[in-house]
Amino acid sequence: MRILVMGGTWFLGRAVVVGALERGWEAVTFNRGRSGVDVPGVTAVRGDRQSGADLHRLAKAGPWDAVIDTSSSALPPRDVLAGARALEPVTGRYVYVSTVNAYRGWPNEPLSESSEVLDGPADADGEYGRLPDGWDGPDWYYGRQKAGAERAAVEAFGPERVSLLRPGVILGPGEYVGRLPWWLDRAARGGNVLAPGNPATSIQPVDVRDVAAFALDQASALSGGAYNVVAPIGRETIGGFLNACLDVTGGKGTLRWAPDEVLIEHQVEQWTELPLWRTHAGTWRIESQRARAAGFVCRPLAETVSVTWEWLQTGARPVEHPRSAEHGIDPEKEARILAALGV
């Protein structure tokens, strides 16, 4: 197999490249060379996805059996469409990494792979879906952009040659968003650790290496489809996750559980101040039977926690990204909430 990875130098893209080389495949990457480091053994093509000339030059480096697109999170659908059209004549399949945000019902209602997708057009620009002044409804901007990008891939390649991967939260070595690294750092500090909600609450993060493996499987699949790439509902819990963080960092902390209503009363920002905590009914109610039937395997979350801690202990750090600064609660605010709990 000869594959093209759009991106390929950090987190998921890097995991895809490493996995491809471990399978004995040839991997070519396309990126600007501004963040991350190339994996030894790849052929790197430098260029900008928003440049028609660079895309034309990239196409000349084909053919490929498949392209795996891991780097379009900030691209509007029309740029994904232009890239897919440029590559279609020299590529067999297109694997597009999307997100559960593409569903109209996320995070407010349970979802399956047949749930309604948002209305992003394949040729939308970066302004499509932005919220008008005074809007007090759901913020679907990012989801509409990703839904449009999905349609762009299908429009260029046709549904049988496209696999759409819709993960929720991806964790593991190299994570740049900062969710798991923050919890590991907090667990390592010890003391009374503010824990969100109910310890029995189901969560569905996946390991970056498992997403990469499934993307590679889909690169050689015989048909297309959309797949929710999440852990099975109910297998993992927030309590199990946080206890795993304590265990791997030395167990110096004590979890102090705060009910949802207490956290809301203290205006804790959901999803970021205490990463993975969100009260919306559908956040962690995403069915993934279709992905599992297609071969997706998700390792235990405790293993992801352990390997990520080992990676951090080597002194490694992810590529710098502004989203990491959004995560984590201020220690003084945490102390105020713990005091309110009588701790």
Side-chain angles (χ1 to χ4, degrees):
M1 286 282 291
R2 185 173 194 254
I3 65 166
L4 170 66
V5 181
M6 305 296 273
T9 60
W10 46 298
F11 201 39
L12 178 57
R14 188 176 186 85
V16 168
V17 171
V18 170
L21 295 176
E22 288 175 346
R23 296 184 185 204
W25 296 3
E26 180 183 353
V28 178
T29 59
F30 180 68
N31 54 66
R32 294 176 296 177
R34 297 179 181 176
S35 59
V37 179
D38 294 314
V39 176
V42 306
T43 299
V45 178
R46 300 291 184 231
D48 189 330
R49 294 189 60 173
Q50 295 181 294
S51 165
D54 287 356
L55 290 171
H56 179 71
R57 178 169 51 83
L58 174 64
K60 288 185 175 181
W64 298 279
D65 295 294
V67 56
I68 300 179
D69 189 349
T70 67
S71 69
S72 66
S73 61
L75 286 180
R78 68 179 182 187
D79 288 335
V80 176
L81 180 62
R85 284 174 170 169
L87 296 173
E88 187 277 331
V90 293
T91 308
R93 293 184 51 75
Y94 198 106
V95 180
Y96 180 72
V97 181
S98 183
T99 168
V100 294
N101 293 68
Y103 289 115
R104 180 175 294 275
W106 193 85
N108 295 311
E109 60 190 53
L111 298 171
S112 72
E113 285 131 332
S114 60
S115 296
E116 181 184 1
V117 175
L118 287 164
D119 58 344
D123 60 352
D125 63 16
E127 294 302 308
Y128 184 85
R130 289 200 185 277
L131 301 178
D133 292 340
W135 176 259
D136 61 357
D139 184 356
W140 283 331
Y141 170 72
Y142 180 62
R144 281 173 164 161
Q145 289 281 308
K146 296 298 280 187
E150 290 185 1
R151 292 188 176 96
V154 172
E155 182 173 312
F157 276 76
E160 291 301 311
R161 296 167 62 199
V162 175
S163 292
L164 303 172
L165 276 53
R166 295 176 182 145
V169 171
I170 304 177
L171 303 177
E175 184 210 331
Y176 61 90
V177 177
R179 297 183 177 105
L180 178 50
W182 185 85
W183 275 118
L184 285 167
D185 288 343
R186 178 63 192 91
R189 293 202 309 271
N192 291 312
V193 179
L194 181 63
N198 185 333
T201 298
S202 172
I203 59 175
Q204 297 178 272
V206 290
D207 191 292
V208 63
R209 296 163 295 174
D210 295 333
V211 180
F214 187 61
L216 291 167
D217 290 345
Q218 286 302 301
S220 58
L222 299 178
S223 61
Y227 303 95
N228 293 338
V229 187
V230 298
I233 296 173
R235 194 190 75 176
E236 309 286 355
T237 65
I238 188 66
F241 167 72
L242 294 184
N243 276 300
C245 290
L246 289 174
D247 289 343
V248 301
T249 58
K252 296 182 293 184
T254 301
L255 298 176
R256 303 297 186 179
W257 294 92
D260 293 338
E261 55 269 23
V262 171
L263 299 176
I264 292 170
E265 179 185 350
H266 284 83
Q267 299 181 331
V268 175
E269 188 71 26
Q270 297 194 35
W271 209 230
T272 54
E273 283 196 288
L274 292 174
L276 305 186
W277 172 65
R278 198 165 192 166
T279 60
H280 299 74
T283 304
W284 303 117
R285 298 292 299 176
I286 304 166
E287 297 288 352
S288 57
Q289 287 96 330
R290 188 180 296 171
R292 296 201 302 275
F296 175 61
V297 177
C298 181
R299 74 192 68 200
L301 187 54
E303 181 182 334
T304 304
V305 170
S306 178
V307 171
T308 303
W309 179 244
E310 292 174 3
W311 172 74
L312 289 170
Q313 292 307 104
T314 67
R317 285 296 181 268
V319 171
E320 291 188 8
H321 195 280
R323 290 185 66 186
S324 63
E326 300 174 358
H327 291 86
I329 191 168
D330 180 83
E332 292 185 2
K333 184 173 183 178
E334 179 185 30
R336 289 196 300 272
I337 299 172
L338 288 170
L341 294 172
V343 176

